[in-house]
Amino acid sequence: MVKKRYIVMGVSGCGKSLIGSLLAKRLGLAFFDGDDFHPPENVAKMRQGIPLNDQDRYGWLQTLNDLINREEGMVLACSALKPQYRQQLRQGNDAQLIYLKGGVETIWARHSCREGHYFNGREMLESQFRELIEPKVGEAIEVSIDQSAERVLDDVLAALAQSERADK
Ligand SMILES: Nc1ncnc2c1ncn2[C@@H]1O[C@H](COP(=O)(O)OP(=O)(O)O)[C@@H](O)[C@H]1O
Ligand SMILES: O=C(O)[C@H](O)[C@@H](O)[C@H](O)[C@H](O)COP(=O)(O)O
């Protein structure tokens, strides 16, 4: 694989952490979860069920951009909901975006099974759907999450292989 940096994106609960870590393992790359880099103020806000805004996300995205640029090979899980966030993350690198696409009901059902996470409430998830501006055709590899995690991973790998063939 030519591109060695990957950003797995989508709303909270779409499977970024699970699929991202499986992908990293398969490719022999380091995995980082964007959640682990939020400043305490952001975590406190989300615990209260208050969605983050552009200002809250700015410093966090800068930290993640530094991380991407520092690591030669890596997979990062990050919501990257808006084009400006994706641009900020990809400043100085050509990380490949992988968009995990799914509907609110599927994702909320998966959320409800997840324990011990600070992300708080369906309203916050709905706010992520309102904020999401999906990547344009060609900006990202897009994979449906309405299938098992193994199949999602297979689709991601197949799409990456296809995009690499097209790049040659
Ligand atoms: N394709 C899938 N099928 C079934 N469950 C999934 C799938 N992808 C993720 N999950 C589960 O859904 C929940 C949310 O996934 P997670 O990777 O934490 O999402 P995110 O990192 O985007 O918030 C987790 O419990 C995870 O195990
Ligand atoms: O852009 C955002 O608002 C953040 O990415 C944030 O809301 C994130 O979604 C949470 O940290 C929940 O973490 P998961 O996305 O892993 O559920």
Side-chain angles (χ1 to χ4, degrees), residues 8-107:
V8 184
M9 60 156 288
V11 297
S12 173
C14 70
K16 301 181 296 289
S17 310
L18 178 63
I19 304 302
S21 55
L22 291 172
L23 178 67
K25 206 171 191 182
R26 185 66 78 91
L27 300 180
L29 298 174
F31 172 72
F32 297 89
D33 200 324
D35 286 352
D36 297 336
F37 296 83
H38 275 298
E41 313 83 80
N42 285 3
V43 175
K45 218 175 158 179
M46 289 188 276
R47 271 193 208 288
Q48 294 172 62
I50 306 170
L52 302 180
N53 58 33
D54 286 354
Q55 215 180 331
D56 299 323
R57 291 185 181 117
Y58 187 83
W60 172 61
L61 291 167
Q62 212 46 54
T63 303
L64 295 178
N65 172 248
D66 289 343
L67 175 73
I68 298 170
N69 286 336
R70 208 169 52 229
E71 292 289 323
E72 241 172 66
M74 58 109 72
V75 178
L76 172 71
C78 174
S79 48
L81 299 174
K82 298 184 189 178
Q84 77 223 47
Y85 301 163
R86 302 194 277 272
Q87 196 182 5
Q88 197 180 345
L89 288 169
R90 298 179 73 229
Q91 203 74 49
N93 65 75
D94 65 348
Q96 169 72 57
L97 289 161
I98 299 165
Y99 169 42
L100 301 182
K101 184 183 171 91
V104 68
E105 296 307 334
T106 309
I107 293 177

